[in-house]
Amino acid sequence: MEEFKIHIKNVVCQRCIMTVTEILNRLEIPYIKVDLGEAILKRPLIDPEKKVVQKEFEKVGFEMIMDRDERLINDIKSLIIEDVYSSKISNQKLSSLLTSQLHFDYSHITHIFTESEGQSIQKYYNAIRIERAKELLDYDELGIAEIADHLGYSTPAYLSTSFKKATGYTPSEYRQLDQKNRKSLDSV
């Protein structure tokens, strides 16, 4: 069976995937699967369907991506989020992960990303890891050393230094705050 992939901007979490799934079901668009940043359809969308799907996506803050570079950026973000939020610790270097999954030279990937997003892939990756650290600190189930290990920081001290630089607080201070300042992943 032939597959047709559509790329969808801002689909960055499980709830987003469920929302896209619900929209496709409601519009009776046959699909194989919905994942971070994409949906694999059983057939291509015809023009009137594209407009309806795009309108429904826009209502919930999503957007179909047609431009090749935008799709690449969306794929980069999806892979980074998936890596940071996965339950297993990845020892694979970010550059290796991206080049093996996207089949582009890393210099090309970084150039396109930096030009479009105004920040490096590494800076984006670090920001996503900090948001994940905030979430894990909020849950209060893991110690700082466990969070550092889970997120691939070489030491808890390195996590603390990076966290303080990004937020103005140490992880311990952040945990004590009444008013947390977490960001949604699509705004990082």
Side-chain angles (χ1 to χ4, degrees):
M1 176 189 292
E2 197 169 353
E3 300 175 352
F4 301 91
K5 187 185 289 190
I6 59 171
H7 295 267
I8 313 162
K9 189 174 186 174
N10 296 330
V11 177
V12 296
C13 66
Q14 201 59 41
R15 196 173 303 112
C16 297
I17 291 170
M18 290 179 357
T19 302
V20 169
T21 302
E22 181 211 302
I23 290 169
L24 294 175
N25 284 333
R26 186 168 20 91
L27 296 176
E28 299 179 355
I29 307 287
Y31 62 92
I32 296 168
K33 79 176 197 173
V34 177
D35 212 342
L36 292 176
E38 68 185 25
I40 300 174
L41 307 179
K42 292 183 177 179
R43 61 172 175 74
L45 295 173
I46 57 175
D47 281 338
E49 284 178 321
K50 281 182 189 173
K51 290 177 182 159
V52 171
V53 170
Q54 180 69 344
K55 187 175 179 181
E56 290 301 309
F57 283 171
E58 287 173 358
K59 287 180 185 177
V60 292
F62 303 147
E63 178 184 339
M64 271 198 299
I65 302 170
M66 304 302 179
D67 178 74
R68 187 174 69 93
D69 288 348
E70 279 188 68
R71 287 194 315 261
L72 178 60
I73 290 162
N74 191 59
D75 288 346
I76 292 166
K77 289 180 174 184
S78 295
L79 285 169
I80 289 172
I81 290 168
E82 192 174 305
D83 183 59
V84 171
Y85 278 77
S86 92
S87 57
K88 62 181 190 284
I89 301 166
S90 171
N91 292 327
Q92 190 175 19
K93 287 178 63 176
L94 181 60
S95 59
S96 299
L97 170 75
L98 294 175
T99 56
S100 70
Q101 294 293 315
L102 300 173
H103 310 290
F104 283 105
D105 183 66
Y106 191 66
S107 63
H108 174 72
I109 294 169
T110 57
H111 173 74
I112 297 295
F113 190 90
T114 303
E115 193 173 279
S116 173
E117 298 298 302
Q119 65 179 330
S120 70
I121 290 175
Q122 189 63 48
K123 187 172 181 179
Y124 177 79
Y125 176 69
N126 291 339
I128 294 296
R129 287 198 308 170
I130 292 297
E131 289 308 311
R132 179 66 171 146
K134 288 177 185 179
E135 182 179 357
L136 293 171
L137 288 166
D138 285 349
Y139 294 160
D140 203 18
E141 294 173 353
L142 301 174
I144 293 167
E146 292 170 300
I147 292 171
D149 189 50
H150 182 74
L151 295 176
Y153 287 93
S154 53
T155 65
Y158 183 46
L159 166 62
S160 293
T161 301
S162 299
F163 195 89
K164 180 153 182 137
K165 185 176 178 184
T167 67
Y169 302 101
T170 67
S172 298
E173 292 168 341
Y174 181 84
R175 213 176 230 162
Q176 303 304 316
L177 291 176
D178 290 330
Q179 190 74 353
K180 309 290 196 226
N181 60 344
R182 287 179 43 201
K183 297 177 187 170
S184 64
L185 295 181
D186 60 344
S187 68
V188 172

